[in-house]
Amino acid sequence: MHEKNSNDQVLIDGSRLIIESLARAGADAFIGYPITPANLLYLYGSQRMEMMLPAPDEITTVQWMAGLSATGKLPVTATSFPGFALMAESVNMAYMMELPMVIVLVQRLGPATGTATCGAQGDLLLLNGIMSGGHPVPVLGTSSFEDCWSLSARALEIAVTQRTPVILLTSKEEVMTQKSFDISRLETIKKVERKEYAKDCCDYKPYKPTDLVPDFLPVTQAEHQVRMTASTHDQDGILQHSSPEALANTRRLEEKIRTSMKEDYLFYHLDHQEGAEKLVTAYGISAAAAREAVRKMRREGQKVSLFIPKTLLPLPPVYLEIVSGYRRVVIAEENMNNQLGSLLFGQKLPENIRFVGNLGKMIAPEEIEKEVMS
Amino acid sequence: MTGSMIKLQNLPYCKGCGHDLIAKNSTEALEKLGYNPLDVIAVTDIGCHGIIDKCLNTHTVHGLHGRSVALGAGISFGTGSKDQKIVVFVGDGGTTIGLQHIMEAARLNLNVTVVVHNNMLYGMTGGQSSGLTPKGFCTTTSFKGNPFTGYDICKLAHTAGARYVSRIMGVGNITEAIMKAFSQEGFSLVEVMEICPSYGVKLNPRRKLKEIVEESGRELGEWTNDLPPFLDRQEEKTANLLDKTPVISKTFNHQLQQPYSLVISGSAGEGVQLAANIFAKAAMSADLHATQKGSYPVTVGVGFSTAEINVSPEEVLFHGISVPDVALITSSDGLQHNRQRIERMQQGKLFIDSSLTPPNTGAEVILRDFRSVGARNAAIHAILYLCRQTKILDESSVYHIIQQEGKADKLPLDKIKKAMES
């Protein structure tokens, strides 16, 4: 718990923190298409980002972002499932072309249009399978205002250093609800440094990797030819059917994400209580209820630990080790089907894993507490 | 880098394909206009036309089927005023699936030239009809002739606002015609009419391209709009979004020992969210933590408007409210939206407008004519009345925030104060 000790208390929403953080980290373009509950992000994006462009649909949104990214810009958008569904193929394209961008996905109640003004946590499995071939796309999940601030900048950093689209997963209640918050405790955000190809070196190959990631050059320079393609390609960026070099390139795409996300970009919060045999696990909006439940149970003398995953995808292998260390694990996630649990354990949940889900309303701390104590 | 735009050996097209002609003439047009290869960004997509990029010495960006115009548009936003030429190649199938992208690029008059390779069917996938296939033209999905009229992409792009549009036949030397499109400032589109040698020629024997184009009613020609090219006009930006949220300094004291939850609900447009916001900030001015969650229907201007507020001496980790300590109801919309949880209240207080019938509840019911100060002010009236009755917050803290937020002139405070005394 943070004790109040500052005069910088503001009433603020997560959207404002996300956009300001992204802008400070170097995001310079916001491409918007309105959708509830992501509209505050659009509003702030238009006010803060150097460039704001209103796209006519979400396919265009990501195509414009990809084009901007190819010129060296760092574009951002915000959407919810109906918009994200339209973006899927273009996100694959940006992944294949290795173009940095950040998509803030604000979850709402589905399926389909569902309920636009009702929060949910229903999109984790969708994100896990969004890339054809099962390649992982980096997904970070916010679970507090501090995360809205620090993880947003990290999302942009990953996008730049790994040359990939990154999804910042959040939900309605996280980005629309206003809370008192001490902004003086926010960490300083540094602008992400972008490494470009040393132009006077040698022949540039747009997809020749250095430490798994190829050096970037924008199409706006005229010294080296840049080729980008969404099709299977060799290091020159030339379409290939399935040549060894091209397939190695496709394998590299997977490897660079898996390697960096389990090492450099592994973010989670494990609040282990000495002697605790029970663990509450939650990310996103349900982490708020989990924190409250754990606070209450501890005050009542219960021993209970708290685990909040923040690097969500690709699912870090260490998570299974963490949850395996407890006699009982309660996973709270605002859906019907325990998506995090199925990523951890597959279709057969071990008996010591309990699930608390909800549809159409936030999981309450009491529901978690009940499952921990039962 | 200077030199040829294209590697002419081994162009990848079937014998007699118009795409070959377009590739050679387009690159010749760029050379004649004085561009160096790396001054040019060629954007292609899926379709036979798109396999040209490996032969180009320009920058090449090869995207998704039908999305090359949108991708090229994104590049044009990023190149800004740089003296680069963005050339987008698209087929008639890509035009069909990406029609919106062409309309948008034309409407905004982006600095992009689109070359539509219209061979009147989907060549790469087996000769199926596209949205640009003329009526009567035979394809592998309409052996007796396409029963539908094709889009007139030139007319559509022109209507959308394109600076320059032309339709030409893909025969002979078309360099000059393409140069004209490339020379425009703003969006230009040139539709090159072709016939696919693998499917079009075989399925439409003895028909000549010229005759097919004429019979389809597609006129050759040029169309222009005297409209300015795209100019990025950004509104004034803020340098720091955090500066836009006022810091609430501790000015008042509170007596609260534990978390306190409040639901205030009325009708849309009646100031519920504003009143909630003022209450939350007033609590913060008394050194309390606060959260404010708004709920309303998808159409925000009608129906209920509900705000849930938590105030607490310690950080509020979970902001959801199942059953509140206090409910303030100022209209029937608000009552309807909160009836169930009011009925679940075992204790606490229900402040409800006297025009309404209170539901069965364990809460103490306080009836009050909140709407007497006008429906738009009922919510702030209710907040002030709550403070007076419960002392949860110092009434002055609410007035303090009203003043600080610049709302004092917008609210009939004298009228509300008078009503409070009655």
Side-chain angles (χ1 to χ4, degrees), chain A residues 19-155:
Chain A
I19 294 295
E20 182 61 31
S21 167
L22 286 166
R24 289 191 191 188
D28 49 13
F30 190 94
I31 312 300
Y33 187 85
I35 188 166
T36 304
N39 295 322
L40 280 177
L41 291 148
Y42 188 175
L43 176 70
Y44 300 145
S46 69
Q47 293 170 346
R48 181 64 172 87
M49 298 280 177
E50 187 181 310
M51 175 183 274
M52 186 284 287
L53 296 165
D57 59 75
E58 287 93 344
I59 296 175
T60 305
T61 297
V62 180
Q63 290 292 327
W64 284 6
M65 289 169 77
L68 281 161
S69 192
T71 68
K73 294 271 187 185
L74 294 174
V76 170
T77 192
T79 191
S80 195
F81 168 75
F84 189 74
L86 293 182
M87 293 176 177
E89 190 193 14
S90 298
V91 174
N92 273 252
M93 182 193 83
Y95 187 87
M96 194 67 154
M97 289 183 170
E98 300 186 67
L99 291 172
M101 60 179 65
V102 173
I103 298 169
V104 185
L105 177 55
V106 186
Q107 294 170 102
R108 68 189 219 188
L109 184 63
T113 308
T115 305
T117 52
C118 184
Q121 291 181 277
D123 295 346
L124 188 63
L125 287 182
L126 167 81
L127 294 174
N128 193 49
I130 195 77
M131 306 301 300
S132 180
H135 296 269
V137 64
V139 178
L140 300 183
T142 60
S143 58
S144 64
F145 276 3
E146 284 87 349
D147 284 350
C148 289
W149 185 254
S150 57
L151 288 186
S152 300
R154 290 298 204 160

Side-chain angles (χ1 to χ4, degrees), chain A residues 4 7 178 225 227 299, chain B residues 53 58-59 247 289 292 314:
Chain A
K4 284 159 50 60
N7 288 324
Q178 299 198 76
Q225 186 184 26
R227 293 185 186 277
R299 281 176 182 171
Chain B
D53 53 340
T58 64
H59 294 307
V247 171
H289 292 266
Q292 182 200 346
E314 64 178 5

Side-chain angles (χ1 to χ4, degrees), chain B residues 107-367:
Chain B
R107 181 177 78 90
L108 300 177
N109 241 324
L110 301 178
N111 283 304
V112 167
T113 298
V114 176
V115 181
V116 178
H117 300 54
N118 185 3
N119 62 7
M120 301 181 284
L121 47 71
Y122 292 84
M124 186 176 262
T125 49
Q128 301 90 341
S129 298
S130 79
L132 271 63
T133 304
K135 190 172 183 180
F137 189 74
C138 295
T139 70
T140 55
T141 53
S142 56
F143 283 105
K144 293 179 181 175
N146 180 30
F148 307 111
T149 306
Y151 285 119
D152 184 336
I153 188 59
C154 290
K155 199 177 274 184
L156 288 169
H158 182 245
T159 305
R163 175 85 173 194
Y164 176 86
V165 177
S166 68
R167 181 180 290 116
I168 60 175
M169 294 293 287
V171 290
N173 189 318
I174 56 173
T175 301
E176 291 290 326
I178 294 176
M179 279 174 73
K180 197 161 181 186
F182 283 167
S183 305
Q184 305 296 323
E185 280 192 43
F187 184 80
S188 58
L189 178 146
V190 53
E191 181 187 17
V192 185
M193 303 305 296
E194 314 171 36
I195 186 160
C196 171
S198 293
Y199 296 104
V201 171
K202 288 174 190 164
L203 293 166
N204 297 271
R206 292 179 295 282
R207 293 190 74 191
K208 301 291 180 199
L209 176 63
K210 186 166 179 285
E211 167 210 323
I212 293 165
V213 173
E214 279 175 4
E215 282 182 18
S216 74
R218 300 284 173 271
E219 289 177 36
L220 304 181
E222 301 168 273
W223 300 270
T224 60
N225 283 302
D226 188 17
L227 293 170
F230 177 79
L231 186 64
D232 185 23
R233 294 181 185 85
Q234 295 292 320
E235 295 201 347
E236 198 179 329
K237 303 293 180 179
T238 179
N240 182 0
L241 285 167
L242 303 185
D243 285 347
K244 303 290 171 189
T245 53
V247 171
I248 313 287
S249 50
K250 180 186 177 302
T251 313
F252 300 89
N253 294 313
H254 70 83
Q255 309 298 325
L256 202 61
Q257 298 298 315
Q258 57 188 23
Y260 180 89
S261 61
L262 165 69
V263 169
I264 173 163
S265 189
S267 298
E270 295 188 354
V272 170
Q273 303 302 329
L274 174 66
N277 193 262
I278 288 169
F279 184 84
K281 285 175 177 165
M284 289 167 66
S285 75
D287 208 24
L288 289 164
H289 292 266
T291 69
Q292 182 200 346
K293 173 193 169 185
S295 299
Y296 19 77
V298 179
T299 47
V300 291
V302 295
F304 69 88
S305 177
T306 296
E308 297 180 5
I309 305 166
N310 291 284
V311 294
S312 174
E314 64 178 5
E315 188 180 11
V316 182
L317 297 177
F318 177 72
H319 68 267
I321 298 173
S322 175
V323 179
D325 295 317
V326 168
L328 296 181
I329 304 295
T330 60
S331 81
S332 59
D333 285 328
L335 177 58
Q336 201 175 334
H337 185 233
N338 290 283
R339 181 179 291 278
Q340 286 182 355
R341 64 173 151 196
I342 290 170
E343 286 173 352
R344 287 203 305 272
M345 288 173 75
Q346 303 289 320
Q347 52 193 2
K349 289 183 164 62
L350 168 65
F351 292 85
I352 185 166
D353 190 80
S354 49
S355 64
L356 305 169
T357 306
N360 287 330
T361 177
E364 179 191 346
V365 178
I366 298 115
L367 287 159

Side-chain angles (χ1 to χ4, degrees), chain B residues 366-388:
Chain B
I366 298 115
L367 287 159
R368 184 81 182 170
D369 187 3
F370 294 125
R371 300 175 73 84
S372 64
V373 294
R376 293 175 66 86
N377 309 307
I380 192 73
H381 182 189
I383 287 287
L384 282 161
Y385 190 72
L386 167 78
C387 292
R388 179 165 297 187

